[in-house]
Amino acid sequence: RNFAEKICGLKPEVREADGFEARKFIDETIHRLKEEVGNREAVVYASGGVDSTTAAMLAKMAGVKLRLVYLEMGNGRKDEAQFVSSVLGELLETEVYVHGRAGRFISELYNLAEPEQKRKRFSRLYAQTQQEINEKFGLAGGDAVLIQGTIATDERESGKEAGKGSPGDTGTVATIKTHHNVGAQVKNSVTPLDQI
């Protein structure tokens, strides 16, 4: 509303009733995190983007013991890993572990031209890399949880709504982000927590 109405000057003919209250959402999420995570360690794969940063901040506000991990896959901006780890470390007052796998990702994706083949290969590599990290920090066996920040558009673009009657949810929409949100693929290593 701030952007559309105050900044752009657009006035809707009809406005749906407000159903989202930020403070209520924050309070409920903090309560839920305290209940579901308890004293276990929580892993957040932080990209530096809004989704994972928000999820990590909510966990911090809930008093959850955080382990932030940044996967260096070689597809970011120059010095992005150092920038993200520095900014998030300061913001969340915790160390960010940078797991460097740029060479592996680039070599495995090299010469793959078909987009869906590349996405599936990326997804597999990402899941394998998560497994490496879980083993490195002894996170297997249900002693830790995975907190993943996911917004509705991510789920839609991952094919979660494809074919469910939504206009235009056919064809390519189901495969736009098959490489995205792959944490659930790492089974029996991190107890998954519902996405927030």
Side-chain angles (χ1 to χ4, degrees):
R1 184 184 293 177
N2 183 62
F3 178 74
E5 295 184 24
K6 294 180 182 175
I7 296 172
C8 299
L10 301 174
K11 301 292 181 192
E13 291 180 20
V14 178
R15 179 186 293 132
E16 291 184 13
D18 291 335
F20 179 78
E21 297 175 33
R23 184 74 254 167
K24 182 180 176 187
F25 171 80
I26 292 168
D27 291 342
E28 287 175 355
T29 302
I30 289 171
H31 175 74
R32 189 171 138 228
L33 284 167
K34 286 178 179 177
E35 294 241 323
E36 293 189 32
V37 177
N39 294 324
R40 293 178 293 170
E41 185 173 25
V43 180
V44 177
Y45 288 89
S47 66
V50 173
D51 304 352
S52 59
T53 302
T54 300
M57 180 56 82
L58 288 167
K60 179 184 184 315
M61 291 168 70
V64 170
K65 181 182 175 189
L66 285 177
R67 179 173 300 276
L68 266 69
V69 177
Y70 180 89
L71 297 183
E72 172 55 277
M73 299 171 284
N75 59 350
R77 296 173 186 90
K78 185 176 188 287
D79 299 325
E80 185 170 13
Q82 293 78 12
F83 176 76
V84 169
S85 64
S86 172
V87 170
L88 287 184
E90 186 176 331
L91 175 69
L92 298 165
E93 299 173 328
T94 190
E95 180 184 349
V96 178
Y97 170 69
V98 177
H99 193 70
R101 286 293 179 267
R104 180 179 179 196
F105 272 79
I106 290 169
S107 66
E108 291 242 13
L109 297 172
Y110 186 72
N111 278 339
L112 286 181
E114 203 279 309
E116 184 59 11
Q117 185 183 12
K118 191 175 284 191
R119 286 190 284 263
K120 286 180 178 175
R121 176 78 55 89
F122 180 92
S123 179
R124 180 180 56 79
L125 287 167
Y126 192 93
Q128 288 172 353
T129 305
Q130 280 188 320
Q131 186 68 45
E132 289 173 13
I133 292 165
N134 296 337
E135 290 170 4
K136 176 179 177 60
F137 291 113
L139 302 173
D143 296 330
V145 296
L146 170 66
I147 296 178
Q148 181 170 312
T150 299
I151 58 176
T153 53
D154 287 337
E155 293 202 355
R156 181 168 191 263
E157 292 169 349
S158 299
K160 302 289 190 259
E161 294 180 6
K164 293 188 179 176
S166 300
D169 260 357
T170 57
T172 59
V173 74
T175 59
I176 290 171
K177 285 192 176 179
T178 49
H179 66 291
H180 197 71
N181 304 326
V182 293
Q185 294 181 8
V186 184
K187 300 194 183 343
N188 302 321
S189 57
V190 174
T191 304
L193 178 70
D194 289 342
Q195 295 171 349
I196 58 172

